[in-house]
């Protein structure tokens, strides 16, 4: 009897031990599968504000600038929101170069864009490099000079640092300027008929094209004489021919030194009516006067503006 009671007690004790273990295991499993978001620490982390990146801005102190050949200009960049490095680039280092501190050096006349980059942002400044001898906006040839320089129609001297506005313009230069203004079209012929124009001359293609389009003519000895200075009557006649030799709107002549029998009569009247040329205060045109580069670029600029509707 004692043995049976002792056995019964042992069984009951074992049952309690097993039940406690099961309960403890159950509680452990429940703790393992509990959503961590329900804990106070996780709840606090979930409700905190997300981290945002600061806004980055980049600005230059100038959007445009003019600088004379040989001079320097410093562009200042203001950057906010980042300490990343800035990178400076010139669209044409041959015209104006820039170092990595924003220092711009003007090398030859022309137009470039200086751009600074930082953190996927950029800012630009348009820089016009001026000839050393064309800096006064009041000069009548100032705008024409830079308009035609940027268009690639005219070029300067001394590595594009001087324009020499008072230098006389030759026949070779005049036909080349007109050819470039027309877009440098290829002539039909491959060989020039003028005996004094060589294939190595910069005006070779221009002469062939100009002769094919009846813009320029040679002399009876089959020469072009490219180095002869272009007179005012020649320049106006070349432009008139380039326009297709149109009839003037009126034959009223305001110039006392231009006669109906002159071969340039219609050309002068037409050019005057188109505002390409203006005579002198004494009412003369002075057809035999030499044409200077400042006058030629002005004629070409007005031609492009009033005849080609550009400029």
């Amino acid at each position: 009897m004692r043995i049976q009671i002792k056995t019964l007690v042992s069984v009951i004790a074992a049952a309690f031990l097993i039940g406690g273990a099961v309960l403890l295991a159950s509680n452990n499993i429940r703790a393992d599968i509990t959503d961590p978001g329900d804990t106070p620490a996780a709840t606090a982390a979930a409700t905190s504000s997300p981290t945002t990146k600061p806004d980055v801005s980049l600005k230059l102190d100038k959007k445009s600038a003019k600088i004379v050949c040989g001079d320097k200009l410093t562009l200042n960049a203001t950057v906010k929101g980042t300490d990343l490095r800035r990178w400076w680039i010139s669209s044409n280092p041959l015209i104006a170069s820039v170092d990595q501190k924003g220092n711009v050096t003007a090398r030859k006349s022309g137009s470039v864009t200086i751009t600074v980059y930082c953190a996927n942002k950029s800012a630009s400044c348009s820089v016009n490099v001026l000839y050393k001898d064309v800096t006064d906006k009041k000069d009548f040839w100032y705008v024409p000079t830079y308009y035609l320089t940027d268009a690639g129609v005219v070029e300067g001297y001394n590595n594009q640092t001087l324009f020499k506005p008072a230098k006389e313009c030759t026949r070779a230069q005049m036909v080349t300027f007109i050819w470039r203004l027309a877009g440098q079209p290829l002539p039909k012929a491959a060989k020039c008929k003028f005996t004094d124009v060589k294939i190595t001359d910069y005006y070779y293609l221009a002469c062939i094209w100009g002769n094919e389009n009846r813009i320029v003519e040679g002399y009876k000895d089959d020469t072009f004489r490219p180095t002869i200075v272009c007179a005012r009557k020649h320049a106006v006649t070349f432009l008139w021919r380039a326009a297709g030799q149109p009839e003037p709107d009126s034959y009223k002549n305001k110039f006392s030194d231009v006669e109906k029998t002159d071969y340039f009569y219609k050309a002068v009247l037409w050019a005057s009516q188109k505002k390409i040329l203006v005579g002198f205060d004494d009412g003369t045109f002075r057809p035999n006067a030499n044409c200077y580069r400042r006058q030629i670029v002005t004629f070409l600029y007005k031609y492009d503006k009033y005849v080609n509707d550009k400029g």
Side-chain angles (χ1 to χ4, degrees), residues 1-288:
M1 187 65 179
R2 287 180 181 177
I3 296 173
Q4 292 176 350
I5 292 173
K6 187 176 181 180
T7 301
L8 180 60
V9 172
S10 299
V11 171
I12 293 172
F16 274 103
L17 290 174
I18 294 172
V22 171
L23 180 60
L24 181 60
S26 176
N27 288 336
N28 289 338
I29 294 172
R30 188 178 301 161
D32 290 342
I33 65 174
T34 301
D35 186 355
D38 293 338
T39 64
T43 303
T47 57
S48 63
S49 300
T51 302
T52 58
K53 295 182 179 180
D55 292 333
V56 177
S57 64
L58 174 60
K59 292 183 178 180
L60 284 176
D61 60 338
K62 295 180 178 65
K63 291 185 178 180
S64 62
K66 296 183 185 299
I67 180 173
V68 178
C69 287
D71 290 349
K72 296 181 181 294
L73 168 72
T74 298
L75 295 176
N76 297 306
T78 301
V79 182
K80 295 181 179 179
T82 183
D83 293 327
L84 291 176
R85 182 177 178 179
R86 306 164 193 177
W87 293 94
W88 294 83
I89 295 178
S90 169
S91 62
N92 191 337
L94 297 178
I95 294 176
S97 60
V98 61
D99 64 18
Q100 293 309 306
K101 292 184 179 180
N103 298 313
V104 180
T105 302
R107 302 194 178 279
K108 67 178 184 178
S109 182
S111 298
V112 297
T113 300
I114 304 297
T115 305
V116 58
Y117 297 90
C118 183
N120 294 324
K121 299 288 184 178
S122 66
S124 298
C125 177
S126 298
V127 177
N128 299 117
V129 179
L130 307 180
Y131 292 108
K132 293 180 179 180
D133 54 357
V134 183
T135 59
D136 192 346
K137 292 183 178 180
K138 296 179 182 179
D139 292 332
F140 68 80
W141 61 90
Y142 180 89
V143 171
T145 296
Y146 291 113
Y147 172 80
L148 294 171
T149 296
D150 288 343
V153 175
V154 299
E155 297 177 353
Y157 295 87
N158 296 48
N159 295 323
Q160 195 78 351
T161 60
L162 295 174
F163 179 67
K164 299 187 179 182
K167 186 178 179 62
E168 295 170 335
C169 184
T170 65
R171 283 167 55 85
Q173 292 172 334
M174 186 61 189
V175 70
T176 302
F177 293 161
I178 296 175
W179 174 66
R180 289 173 180 167
L181 192 65
Q184 302 186 30
L186 289 176
K188 297 177 181 178
K191 186 177 181 181
C192 184
K193 75 173 188 178
F194 300 124
T195 58
D196 56 350
V197 176
K198 300 177 182 179
I199 194 171
T200 54
D201 293 328
Y202 73 85
Y203 47 86
Y204 184 77
L205 293 178
C207 278
I208 300 175
W209 173 83
N211 183 247
E212 287 178 348
N213 288 274
R214 301 179 64 188
I215 296 172
V216 295
E217 297 177 354
Y219 292 85
K220 294 180 180 180
D221 60 356
D222 291 331
T223 60
F224 177 65
R225 303 180 189 178
T227 58
I228 289 180
V229 175
C230 192
R232 285 169 59 84
K233 61 186 179 184
H234 297 146
V236 171
T237 303
F238 289 169
L239 291 174
W240 175 65
R241 291 172 180 170
Q245 303 186 27
E247 291 291 325
D249 294 332
S250 170
Y251 283 92
K252 184 178 179 180
N253 181 13
K254 68 178 184 179
F255 301 112
S256 59
D257 55 352
V258 177
E259 304 291 338
K260 289 183 178 181
T261 54
D262 294 327
Y263 73 84
F264 49 86
Y265 177 73
K266 289 184 179 181
V268 170
L269 297 186
W270 169 83
S272 176
Q273 292 166 9
K274 287 294 182 181
K275 302 178 182 179
I276 295 173
L277 68 86
V278 178
F280 293 89
D281 293 336
D282 60 359
T284 61
F285 169 62
R286 303 180 189 177
N288 294 318

